[in-house]
Amino acid sequence: MEAAATTCYRHPSYETYVRCTRCDRYICPDCMREAAVGHHCVECVAEGQRSVRRPRSLFGGAVPRDAAPVVTYALMALNILAYVVEVVRSRTVEQFGMVGAVLTDPAGGRYYYEGATYPGLELTGVADGEWYRLLTGAFLHLPPDTSFGVMHLVFNMFALWNLGRAVEGRLGRARYLALYLLSAVGGSVLVYLISPETTAVGASGAVFGLAASFYVINRRLGQDMRAVNRFMAGFLLWMVVSAAFTSWEGHLGGLLTGGLVTYGLAYAPARLRTSAAQLAGGVVLVVLLAVVVALRTAALTGTA
């Protein structure tokens, strides 16, 4: 008596006589996955991957299965998209750029704020409760009609592309994103402390945070620091030179914040290099930055 033909459990039209060595179901070549012994079906492979603990980096983050720097891609896309919005809506920087405290009139004039308001003038900025500017300003750049213009965006995206890939691969995506955002806010907070009347825009604060992170990571991994030191010297020189047309306060604030965050990730005791402990540390830093902003606002508005 002739045996009945067997077919693939996922593709019934495909006749096959090969079975998965784990679940014993018949599988066709499209469903076969090489194993140490025999072949496995796609479902058994997926189940096995779920049960295997993913390796974690020295800094506590899970090593991505996909090496593509997707967070870096996404951040670059957001910055470029925001610049397109700037071009289409000329008031974008005025409405969302990082500014601490200025007085504005209905015609768009801006005046230095000295703790008092005047008839017809309105307080604008973080001091007026617009805390979102601490972050939104980091995704905007100098308008195309200014002296530095679109090159501001180009330089920052070039630096983000080069630094982001290296740092994201070491820290893992979640920690890398947290580092980027905290560095951006840290830069804005220092702008608020030192120059609340200045309108600051650009990803530079976050990029300088990535530069500091890159430095700390390489020291922690015991890499040859000669090239890294030259790189950091160039970055610090750029911070001085760029003060003519961008905010050095934002650069320095991002640099300090990024270095502090990465130092905590790299040198904390092993028992504190867990996701929960690192999340708690991030929350503490956010609270500290918020307290600094609140105290500065109180000092500016005379409500202390």
Side-chain angles (χ1 to χ4, degrees), residues 25-136:
R25 291 182 291 193
Y26 288 100
I27 49 178
C28 68
D30 288 342
C31 300
M32 293 179 190
R33 300 295 182 267
E34 291 285 346
V37 178
H39 297 83
H40 291 170
C41 68
V42 291
E43 291 183 10
C44 288
V45 170
E47 182 181 351
Q49 289 176 342
R50 285 194 296 268
S51 64
V52 174
R53 185 176 181 180
R54 292 180 62 184
R56 307 192 76 82
S57 72
L58 177 66
F59 309 97
V63 177
R65 293 193 180 99
D66 178 8
V70 294
V71 178
T72 298
Y73 292 150
L75 291 171
M76 292 178 67
L78 285 174
N79 278 276
I80 295 170
L81 177 61
Y83 200 75
V84 172
V85 174
E86 282 183 51
V87 174
V88 175
R89 296 185 73 254
S90 59
R91 295 192 61 203
T92 300
V93 171
E94 178 184 335
Q95 293 174 334
F96 296 98
M98 172 54 210
V99 61
V102 296
L103 296 173
T104 59
D105 60 29
R110 296 161 66 89
Y111 307 89
Y112 184 73
Y113 177 69
E114 297 179 334
T117 56
Y118 301 90
L121 299 181
E122 181 182 359
L123 176 61
T124 298
V126 177
D128 192 43
E130 298 172 339
W131 285 45
Y132 57 85
R133 291 178 180 267
L134 294 166
L135 184 59
T136 56

Side-chain angles (χ1 to χ4, degrees), residues 239-301:
M239 182 170 66
V240 175
V241 173
S242 64
F245 42 84
T246 60
S247 170
W248 66 267
E249 300 94 337
H251 295 177
L252 181 59
L255 185 81
L256 296 175
T257 304
L260 175 65
V261 170
T262 310
Y263 188 88
L265 294 175
Y267 290 96
R271 68 179 182 278
L272 297 180
R273 254 179 269 149
T274 63
S275 298
Q278 291 173 344
L279 177 61
V283 171
V284 169
L285 180 57
V286 170
V287 171
L288 288 175
L289 291 173
V291 169
V292 170
V293 171
L295 292 175
R296 182 59 170 143
T297 299
L300 283 170
T301 57

Side-chain angles (χ1 to χ4, degrees), residues 148 152 155-156 204 208 233-243 245-246 251:
F148 197 36
H152 188 208
F155 282 155
N156 278 339
S204 303
F208 270 80
F235 242 79
L236 294 176
L237 178 61
W238 169 246
M239 182 170 66
V240 175
V241 173
S242 64
F245 42 84
T246 60
H251 295 177

